[in-house]
mmCIF file with all atom_site columns, all heavy atoms in Angstrom:
data_model
loop_
_atom_site.group_PDB
_atom_site.id
_atom_site.type_symbol
_atom_site.label_atom_id
_atom_site.label_alt_id
_atom_site.label_comp_id
_atom_site.label_asym_id
_atom_site.label_entity_id
_atom_site.label_seq_id
_atom_site.pdbx_PDB_ins_code
_atom_site.Cartn_x
_atom_site.Cartn_y
_atom_site.Cartn_z
_atom_site.occupancy
_atom_site.B_iso_or_equiv
_atom_site.pdbx_formal_charge
_atom_site.auth_seq_id
_atom_site.auth_comp_id
_atom_site.auth_asym_id
_atom_site.auth_atom_id
_atom_site.pdbx_PDB_model_num
ATOM 1  N N   . ARG A 1 26 ? 3.998  14.555 19.580 1.00 92.00 ? 26 ARG A N   1
ATOM 2  C CA  . ARG A 1 26 ? 2.666  13.995 19.765 1.00 92.00 ? 26 ARG A CA  1
ATOM 3  C C   . ARG A 1 26 ? 1.923  13.787 18.402 1.00 92.00 ? 26 ARG A C   1
ATOM 4  O O   . ARG A 1 26 ? 1.196  12.823 18.211 1.00 92.00 ? 26 ARG A O   1
ATOM 5  C CB  . ARG A 1 26 ? 1.755  14.874 20.664 1.00 92.00 ? 26 ARG A CB  1
ATOM 6  C CG  . ARG A 1 26 ? 0.541  14.129 21.130 1.00 92.00 ? 26 ARG A CG  1
ATOM 7  C CD  . ARG A 1 26 ? -0.069 14.704 22.274 1.00 92.00 ? 26 ARG A CD  1
ATOM 8  N NE  . ARG A 1 26 ? -0.662 15.972 21.904 1.00 92.00 ? 26 ARG A NE  1
ATOM 9  C CZ  . ARG A 1 26 ? -1.733 16.410 22.523 1.00 92.00 ? 26 ARG A CZ  1
ATOM 10 N NH1 . ARG A 1 26 ? -2.318 15.859 23.552 1.00 92.00 ? 26 ARG A NH1 1
ATOM 11 N NH2 . ARG A 1 26 ? -2.247 17.684 22.111 1.00 92.00 ? 26 ARG A NH2 1
ATOM 12 N N   . GLN A 1 27 ? 2.268  14.784 17.533 1.00 92.00 ? 27 GLN A N   1
ATOM 13 C CA  . GLN A 1 27 ? 1.653  14.711 16.176 1.00 92.00 ? 27 GLN A CA  1
ATOM 14 C C   . GLN A 1 27 ? 2.268  13.583 15.386 1.00 92.00 ? 27 GLN A C   1
ATOM 15 O O   . GLN A 1 27 ? 1.618  12.889 14.668 1.00 92.00 ? 27 GLN A O   1
ATOM 16 C CB  . GLN A 1 27 ? 1.996  16.048 15.562 1.00 92.00 ? 27 GLN A CB  1
ATOM 17 C CG  . GLN A 1 27 ? 1.121  16.384 14.377 1.00 92.00 ? 27 GLN A CG  1
ATOM 18 C CD  . GLN A 1 27 ? 1.596  17.669 13.717 1.00 92.00 ? 27 GLN A CD  1
ATOM 19 O OE1 . GLN A 1 27 ? 2.515  18.395 14.225 1.00 92.00 ? 27 GLN A OE1 1
ATOM 20 N NE2 . GLN A 1 27 ? 1.058  17.931 12.574 1.00 92.00 ? 27 GLN A NE2 1
ATOM 21 N N   . TRP A 1 28 ? 3.608  13.372 15.681 1.00 95.00 ? 28 TRP A N   1
ATOM 22 C CA  . TRP A 1 28 ? 4.216  12.227 14.942 1.00 95.00 ? 28 TRP A CA  1
ATOM 23 C C   . TRP A 1 28 ? 3.540  10.876 15.199 1.00 95.00 ? 28 TRP A C   1
ATOM 24 O O   . TRP A 1 28 ? 3.226  10.176 14.325 1.00 95.00 ? 28 TRP A O   1
ATOM 25 C CB  . TRP A 1 28 ? 5.658  12.054 15.426 1.00 95.00 ? 28 TRP A CB  1
ATOM 26 C CG  . TRP A 1 28 ? 6.564  13.257 15.097 1.00 95.00 ? 28 TRP A CG  1
ATOM 27 C CD1 . TRP A 1 28 ? 6.303  14.424 14.559 1.00 95.00 ? 28 TRP A CD1 1
ATOM 28 C CD2 . TRP A 1 28 ? 7.944  13.257 15.546 1.00 95.00 ? 28 TRP A CD2 1
ATOM 29 N NE1 . TRP A 1 28 ? 7.426  15.248 14.565 1.00 95.00 ? 28 TRP A NE1 1
ATOM 30 C CE2 . TRP A 1 28 ? 8.492  14.532 15.116 1.00 95.00 ? 28 TRP A CE2 1
ATOM 31 C CE3 . TRP A 1 28 ? 8.881  12.334 16.058 1.00 95.00 ? 28 TRP A CE3 1
ATOM 32 C CZ2 . TRP A 1 28 ? 9.778  14.951 15.228 1.00 95.00 ? 28 TRP A CZ2 1
ATOM 33 C CZ3 . TRP A 1 28 ? 10.178 12.744 16.264 1.00 95.00 ? 28 TRP A CZ3 1
ATOM 34 C CH2 . TRP A 1 28 ? 10.642 14.009 15.836 1.00 95.00 ? 28 TRP A CH2 1
ATOM 35 N N   . THR A 1 29 ? 3.242  10.669 16.509 1.00 95.00 ? 29 THR A N   1
ATOM 36 C CA  . THR A 1 29 ? 2.774  9.379  16.956 1.00 95.00 ? 29 THR A CA  1
ATOM 37 C C   . THR A 1 29 ? 1.359  9.184  16.261 1.00 95.00 ? 29 THR A C   1
ATOM 38 O O   . THR A 1 29 ? 1.058  8.080  15.898 1.00 95.00 ? 29 THR A O   1
ATOM 39 C CB  . THR A 1 29 ? 2.656  9.181  18.390 1.00 95.00 ? 29 THR A CB  1
ATOM 40 O OG1 . THR A 1 29 ? 1.812  10.225 19.011 1.00 95.00 ? 29 THR A OG1 1
ATOM 41 C CG2 . THR A 1 29 ? 4.019  9.293  19.088 1.00 95.00 ? 29 THR A CG2 1
ATOM 42 N N   . ALA A 1 30 ? 0.629  10.230 16.138 1.00 93.00 ? 30 ALA A N   1
ATOM 43 C CA  . ALA A 1 30 ? -0.750 10.115 15.633 1.00 93.00 ? 30 ALA A CA  1
ATOM 44 C C   . ALA A 1 30 ? -0.628 9.792  14.117 1.00 93.00 ? 30 ALA A C   1
ATOM 45 O O   . ALA A 1 30 ? -1.636 9.267  13.560 1.00 93.00 ? 30 ALA A O   1
ATOM 46 C CB  . ALA A 1 30 ? -1.488 11.414 15.854 1.00 93.00 ? 30 ALA A CB  1
ATOM 47 N N   . MET A 1 31 ? 0.412  10.074 13.417 1.00 95.00 ? 31 MET A N   1
ATOM 48 C CA  . MET A 1 31 ? 0.449  9.946  12.013 1.00 95.00 ? 31 MET A CA  1
ATOM 49 C C   . MET A 1 31 ? 0.774  8.533  11.567 1.00 95.00 ? 31 MET A C   1
ATOM 50 O O   . MET A 1 31 ? 0.781  8.191  10.451 1.00 95.00 ? 31 MET A O   1
ATOM 51 C CB  . MET A 1 31 ? 1.433  10.952 11.384 1.00 95.00 ? 31 MET A CB  1
ATOM 52 C CG  . MET A 1 31 ? 1.023  12.345 11.564 1.00 95.00 ? 31 MET A CG  1
ATOM 53 S SD  . MET A 1 31 ? 2.090  13.487 10.705 1.00 95.00 ? 31 MET A SD  1
ATOM 54 C CE  . MET A 1 31 ? 1.279  13.505 9.081  1.00 95.00 ? 31 MET A CE  1
ATOM 55 N N   . GLN A 1 32 ? 1.292  7.743  12.581 1.00 96.00 ? 32 GLN A N   1
ATOM 56 C CA  . GLN A 1 32 ? 1.861  6.434  12.252 1.00 96.00 ? 32 GLN A CA  1
ATOM 57 C C   . GLN A 1 32 ? 0.873  5.519  11.596 1.00 96.00 ? 32 GLN A C   1
ATOM 58 O O   . GLN A 1 32 ? 1.218  4.586  10.886 1.00 96.00 ? 32 GLN A O   1
ATOM 59 C CB  . GLN A 1 32 ? 2.344  5.771  13.512 1.00 96.00 ? 32 GLN A CB  1
ATOM 60 C CG  . GLN A 1 32 ? 3.482  6.453  14.201 1.00 96.00 ? 32 GLN A CG  1
ATOM 61 C CD  . GLN A 1 32 ? 3.906  5.698  15.344 1.00 96.00 ? 32 GLN A CD  1
ATOM 62 O OE1 . GLN A 1 32 ? 4.950  5.044  15.264 1.00 96.00 ? 32 GLN A OE1 1
ATOM 63 N NE2 . GLN A 1 32 ? 3.201  5.795  16.484 1.00 96.00 ? 32 GLN A NE2 1
ATOM 64 N N   . HIS A 1 33 ? -0.453 5.696  11.870 1.00 93.00 ? 33 HIS A N   1
ATOM 65 C CA  . HIS A 1 33 ? -1.397 4.701  11.399 1.00 93.00 ? 33 HIS A CA  1
ATOM 66 C C   . HIS A 1 33 ? -1.750 4.795  9.961  1.00 93.00 ? 33 HIS A C   1
ATOM 67 O O   . HIS A 1 33 ? -2.062 3.819  9.278  1.00 93.00 ? 33 HIS A O   1
ATOM 68 C CB  . HIS A 1 33 ? -2.742 4.942  12.330 1.00 93.00 ? 33 HIS A CB  1
ATOM 69 C CG  . HIS A 1 33 ? -2.342 4.832  13.691 1.00 93.00 ? 33 HIS A CG  1
ATOM 70 N ND1 . HIS A 1 33 ? -2.013 3.664  14.404 1.00 93.00 ? 33 HIS A ND1 1
ATOM 71 C CD2 . HIS A 1 33 ? -2.209 5.845  14.630 1.00 93.00 ? 33 HIS A CD2 1
ATOM 72 C CE1 . HIS A 1 33 ? -1.710 3.972  15.631 1.00 93.00 ? 33 HIS A CE1 1
ATOM 73 N NE2 . HIS A 1 33 ? -1.754 5.276  15.806 1.00 93.00 ? 33 HIS A NE2 1
#
Side-chain angles (χ1 to χ4, degrees):
R26 194 164 69 150
Q27 201 185 352
W28 300 0
T29 59
M31 298 185 84
Q32 298 182 99
H33 306 286

